[in-house]
Each structure stands twice: as structure tokens, then as C-alpha cells.
């Protein structure tokens, strides 16, 4: 006998985390929880894990800043600035402290690496470390030592630069209310052939971050002020600083500003995310228009999850291969960097929105990208105990230890499918979970009806073997039972609203959810006390 009730699909993968407290304002395509979850090819998936890279630094100091150093096409090393005030270089095989490049630096600063040098043919590439507490330190090529820049600006005797960026063939450093441009022929000389510009000293406390975007140098001050360098004239004497916004600035970190493929994402001093393109379009006046975290209904999540008063210790990378911005952030109530916010921009080409999710399975003190054998740059991170790990590894574990991957659908009355269903009570009959096969394990789905958990169901995620995608390596893996798995379970209970919470916490186990189908019969619209 055919089923005479309603079967309605709750889609997956079209949206990420939304933290709006009004359930009627959360799109059914989104999630109200997305912990250790990623958006993977139009579906919600348990986030890939992390695996140790090489050996830990002796003494287990916190890692402050990392650089994948490639001075030539034949050399690849990892440079690590650690909390013991030392910069280490690995041996190319993962021995992180194989070479001590310099010691005696600040033990509390965060640090920012900039790749510079190669000013002319035959000149070595140079890795430059800015800490805000020391003179900028320079490594030339694959050398064995680092030293301070040869000609620092006189101001740096008392006001050390906090960061830098290469722009139009010069290394630009910033300290206080000024920027300092090196000689175009030597990135260590900020006196001979150098330039300086004051950046509206009456605005903000200091220049905090800078990026080059679409050929223009943009400068952020903390807590207010965004400016740009007008260097369009061939004569540098005619260059000038132009204001973009006096209302917005950035958080107190040079990592608060992140260049992406075709835009710049930045954190304002009050802990909100903005896009530079939106600030440009409104000539710096449309603060609300540029507020991405507000548009994503993410601000409440940030306020409750992130220690917004400790953003000075944040780090960030743009993971281009997955079109994802990654932000390591301090956790609310602890100030430890245990929140990794992911903003997936991959669907924007299809007019889809940005999809936020977050990870909390590791303490991420420093982030960087490292080019791997397939020439793709992938994120890695340093922790608080001298360990570097590769992120987004196929095994769903951190060095073999499991973590909870959890998603939650909105609390829906199914009015999104038919407005007349909203006020009606439903007799729930069945739940079907549509998933992409990942392995011979299960995902748990809790069923919540009108705010009460009524059932906990188990859904298999397919058979073993590698699944075509990120875990399948051509020529080495065996293709398992890849495909779509549809498993149906009986539901019991009656109510107006339903919410689903899916999870898996076992090491090495995965879920990959493509959708949910809920079957129910309308019970009526009568009033009933809860």
C-alpha cells in the first residue's frame, strides 16, 4: 500500500553554520552546529584530521610562526619561530630543530614571515621574520644563520616593525604610524634608497597590517583606519597616502588581514569579518554592507565561542585548493587557540553563499601552507608543545586519536516545503539518511521533536575501501563500494518541529551526508499543552 503521508527532503551541503537564535530565520539548507565538519562536494562531511610532520622541537616550546621555505626550486625547508625565542630550520626531512638560525628573540611575540629578496637576477631569496619586539631577522637562501636587516630605519631603535609585505619590488615594513619602503635593489636597506610615509597619525593607534591587492598597497590601522598608497606617479616624490575608511580598522594582529583569490578578508577591531571589496564599493562608509559575519548570521557564534578580546594571537591562511579561509582563534573562556574557523568560498562561482564550519580538535598556535609532492599547497600548523602537524589528512584522527564530528539541522516545522504544514502537528514515521559511502562504520543521528530528544538512530556509512575523491590515490588505492547509500529507520513521536543531530567520534571513521528525508502524517492543528 503506498505511503499517504508527506516525505520531505532536508538538503545537505548547500550551506554552513548559521547561529541565529530564531529558528524560523535559519535556512533549511544550513546548519545550527557544524563542529569538526567540512563542506565536501555538496555534502556535509566529518572534517579530515591531522598528522605529525617530522619530530618535535627539543624542549617543546610553543610554535609562533611557520614558513614553508623554498629558496630555490630544488630546496624545501621548514622555518619555525618558537616561543623559546629561537628560529629553527628543519633538514628537509622533518627534523624541525636540525639547524638553529638565531636565538635570543622575543619569547612572547607571535611573528610574521615574509618572503622577499631576489631583487635582481642572481640575488638570493630572503626569508624575513617580523616580531614587533626585535629588529627584522633575515635568512638569505639556504643559509645556516639569520641576522638583522643591514640598514634598519632609525625609528626602529625604539619602535620595532610588527610586519611587512612586498609591494612593487620593495619590502614594506610598518611600525607605529609609519610605513617604511626598502630600496628596490636591496630589501635589507631602509635608509639608502628607502622611503617613508606617515599614515594619518591622528587616526588609530598604529599600522597593524598591510597587503598588496590588485596592484595596490592597502594599510590597516588598529582599531580604526584603512588607507592605500597612491603610487601611480612615476616620481615617488608625488606618492601619497589616501584614506579608504575612518570607521573600520583591523584587529590587533598582522594576521587579521587575509588576501584571498579575488578579495581580502579582514577582522575589524570589534571581532567582525569584512570584505575589502565591499568597503571599496561604499567608499569606506558602508560598514554594515561589508560586514560578512553579520550577513552570515555568525556573530553570535563568534561572541560565544571566540575570545574576541584576544585576537592578537590569531593566525590565518588561504587554502586555495579548497577555496577556504582558515582562521586559528582563541577559545572563549580560555584564550587558547583551539578554534579553527573555516569559511568555504568554493560555491560563490555558482552564486552560493559562503559556508562556515569550525574545528576544535587541536590547539593551533601557528598556521602555514606547505607545497606537497603534487604541487598543491596544503595547511599545516604548530601547536603549544613544539609539534607541527599537517591539516586535512584523510584519516579522521589526530595522530590516531579520535574526535567528535557533529552537525545539526535547523529546528524546522517543514513550512519551508509547504507553509500550511508549519502550525500542524505531525506523526513522524520514518527518517532516511542519504550518504556517500565512506567505510564500514556508522553515524549516530539524534531526533529532537519540539525540543525533546526522542530517539537515537544508527546509520551505516557504506562498506570499506577507498572512496573516489580526496582519500583515493590513483595507482595505490583499491576502489571500495563508492556510491550513494540510502538507509531508512522508523521514527516515533508527535510534534510540530523536528531537528536532527548527526555525529561520529571514533578515530578513523567518517560520515558524508548528502541529505535527509523525513516522512510524516499530519495529525492536526489542535492546541496542546507541552
Amino acid at each position: 500500500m503506498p505511503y499517504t503521508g508527506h516525505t520531505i527532503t532536508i538538503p545537505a551541503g548547500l550551506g554552513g553554520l548559521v547561529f541565529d537564535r530564531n529558528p524560523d530565520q535559519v535556512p533549511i539548507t544550513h546548519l545550527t552546529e557544524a563542529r569538526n565538519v567540512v563542506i565536501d562536494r555538496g555534502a556535509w562531511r566529518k572534517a579530515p584530521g591531522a598528522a605529525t610532520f617530522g619530530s618535535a622541537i627539543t624542549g617543546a616550546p610553543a610554535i609562533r610562526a611557520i614558513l614553508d621555505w623554498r629558496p630555490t626550486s630544488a630546496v624545501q625547508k621548514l622555518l619555525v619561530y618558537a616561543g623559546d625565542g629561537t628560529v629553527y630550520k628543519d633538514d628537509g626531512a622533518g627534523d624541525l630543530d636540525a639547524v638553529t638560525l638565531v636565538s635570543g628573540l622575543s619569547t612572547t611575540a607571535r611573528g610574521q614571515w615574509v618572503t622577499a629578496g631576489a631583487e635582481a637576477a642572481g640575488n638570493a631569496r630572503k626569508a624575513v621574520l617580523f616580531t614587533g619586539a626585535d629588529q627584522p631577522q633575515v635568512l638569505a637562501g639556504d643559509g645556516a644563520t639569520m641576522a638583522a636587516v643591514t640598514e634598519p630605519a632609525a625609528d626602529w631603535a625604539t619602535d620595532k616593525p610588527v610586519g611587512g609585505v612586498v609591494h612593487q619590488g620593495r619590502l614594506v615594513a610598518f611600525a607605529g604610524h609609519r610605513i617604511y619602503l626598502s630600496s628596490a635593489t636591496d630589501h635589507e636597506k631602509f635608509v639608502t634608497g628607502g622611503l617613508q610615509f606617515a599614515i594619518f597619525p591622528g587616526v588609530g593607534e598604529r599600522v597593524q597590517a598591510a597587503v598588496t591587492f590588485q596592484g595596490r598597497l592597502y594599510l590597516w590601522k588598529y582599531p580604526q583606519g584603512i588607507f592605500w598608497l597612491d603610487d601611480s606617479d612615476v616620481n615617488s616624490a608625488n606618492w601619497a597616502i589616501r584614506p579608504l575608511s575612518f570607521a573600520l580598522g583591523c584587529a590587533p594582529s598582522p594576521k587579521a588581514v587575509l588576501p584571498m583569490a579575488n578579495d581580502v578578508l579582514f577582522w575589524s577591531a570589534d571581532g567582525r569579518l569584512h570584505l575589502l571589496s565591499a568597503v571599496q564599493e561604499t567608499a569606506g562608509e558602508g560598514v554594515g554592507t561589508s560586514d560578512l559575519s553579520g550577513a552570515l548570521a555568525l556573530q553570535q557564534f563568534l561572541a560565544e565561542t571566540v575570545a574576541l578580546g584576544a585576537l592578537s594571537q590569531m593566525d590565518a591562511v588561504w587554502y586555495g585548493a579548497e577555496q577556504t579561509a582558515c582562521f586559528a582563534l582563541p577559545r572563549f573562556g580560555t584564550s587558547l587557540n583551539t578554534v579553527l574557523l573555516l569559511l568555504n568560498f568554493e560555491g560563490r562561482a555558482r552564486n552560493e553563499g559562503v559556508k562556515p564550519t569550525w574545528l576544535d580538535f587541536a590547539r593551533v598556535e601557528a598556521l602555514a601552507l606547505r607545497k606537497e609532492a603534487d604541487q598543491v599547497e596544503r595547511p599545516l600548523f604548530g601547536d603549544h608543545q613544539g609539534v607541527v602537524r599537517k591539516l586535512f589528512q584523510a584519516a579522521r584522527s589526530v595522530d590516531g586519536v579520535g574526535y567528535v564530528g557533529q552537525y545539526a539541522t535547523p529546528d524546522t516545522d517543514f513550512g519551508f516545503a509547504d507553509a500550511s504544514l508549519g502550525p500542524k502537528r505531525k506523526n513522524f514515521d520514518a527518517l532516511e539518511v542519504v550518504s556517500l559511502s565512506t567505510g564500514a562504520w556508522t553515524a549516530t543521528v539524534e531526533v529532537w521533536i519540539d525540543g525533546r530528544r526522542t530517539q537515537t538512530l544508527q546509520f551505516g556509512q557504506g562498506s570499506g575501501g577507498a572512496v573516489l575523491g580526496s582519500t583515493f590515490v590513483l595507482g595505490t588505492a583499491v576502489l571500495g563500494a563508492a556510491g550513494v547509500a540510502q538507509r531508512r529507520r522508523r521514527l516515533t513521536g508527535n510534534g510540530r518541529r523536528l531537528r536532527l543531530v548527526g555525529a561520529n567520534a571514533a578515530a578513523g571513521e567518517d560520515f558524508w551526508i548528502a541529505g535527509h528525508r523525513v516522512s510524516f502524517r499530519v495529525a492536526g492543528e489542535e492546541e496542546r499543552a507541552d
Side-chain angles (χ1 to χ4, degrees), residues 333-354:
T334 68
S335 296
L336 304 178
N337 275 25
T338 56
V339 175
L340 188 61
L341 178 66
L342 307 179
L343 299 179
N344 185 306
F345 285 78
E346 185 270 335
R348 296 190 86 190
R350 302 187 297 273
N351 294 318
E352 296 176 8
V354 181

Side-chain angles (χ1 to χ4, degrees), residues 468-491:
L468 188 61
S470 62
T471 64
F472 186 87
V473 181
L474 189 63
T476 62
V478 177
L479 186 62
V484 178
Q486 297 177 225
R487 290 179 169 82
R488 187 178 176 89
R489 300 287 182 267
R490 182 184 177 187
L491 289 183

Side-chain angles (χ1 to χ4, degrees), residues 446-449 451-456:
E446 294 180 348
V447 180
W448 292 71
I449 298 175
R452 292 187 292 267
R453 184 174 61 190
T454 59
Q455 289 176 271
T456 300

Side-chain angles (χ1 to χ4, degrees), residues 105 223 285 289 292 428 433 518:
L105 304 181
E285 298 300 325
T289 303
L292 181 63
F428 293 101
V433 173
V518 180

Side-chain angles (χ1 to χ4, degrees), residues 343-412:
L343 299 179
N344 185 306
F345 285 78
E346 185 270 335
R348 296 190 86 190
R350 302 187 297 273
N351 294 318
E352 296 176 8
V354 181
K355 304 179 183 74
T357 60
W358 67 293
L359 314 181
D360 69 347
F361 57 59
R363 184 166 164 182
V364 182
E365 294 294 317
L367 278 167
L369 296 173
R370 184 177 186 272
K371 183 178 285 189
E372 298 189 350
D374 60 2
Q375 302 304 298
V376 175
E377 290 187 323
R378 294 187 174 88
L380 48 68
F381 70 92
D383 73 2
H384 60 299
Q385 296 179 319
V387 177
V388 171
R389 291 183 176 90
K390 294 182 179 182
L391 263 174
F392 302 115
Q393 300 301 292
R396 266 59 183 178
S397 66
V398 179
D399 293 335
V401 178
Y403 50 85
V404 176
Q406 185 177 69
Y407 68 91
T409 65
D411 194 357
T412 180

Side-chain angles (χ1 to χ4, degrees), residues 221-234:
K221 299 185 82 173
Y222 168 79
Q224 290 96 24
I226 305 176
F227 306 89
W228 58 280
L229 174 64
D230 183 355
D231 55 1
S232 56
D233 198 293
V234 295

Side-chain angles (χ1 to χ4, degrees), residues 20 28 32 51 71 94 112 119 148 156 167 207-208 311 343 365 369 425 503:
D20 198 312
I28 194 61
T32 57
Q112 181 193 25
E119 304 91 344
W156 298 354
H167 173 72
V207 181
Q208 189 67 67
L311 290 179
L343 299 179
E365 294 294 317
L369 296 173
R425 300 187 68 84

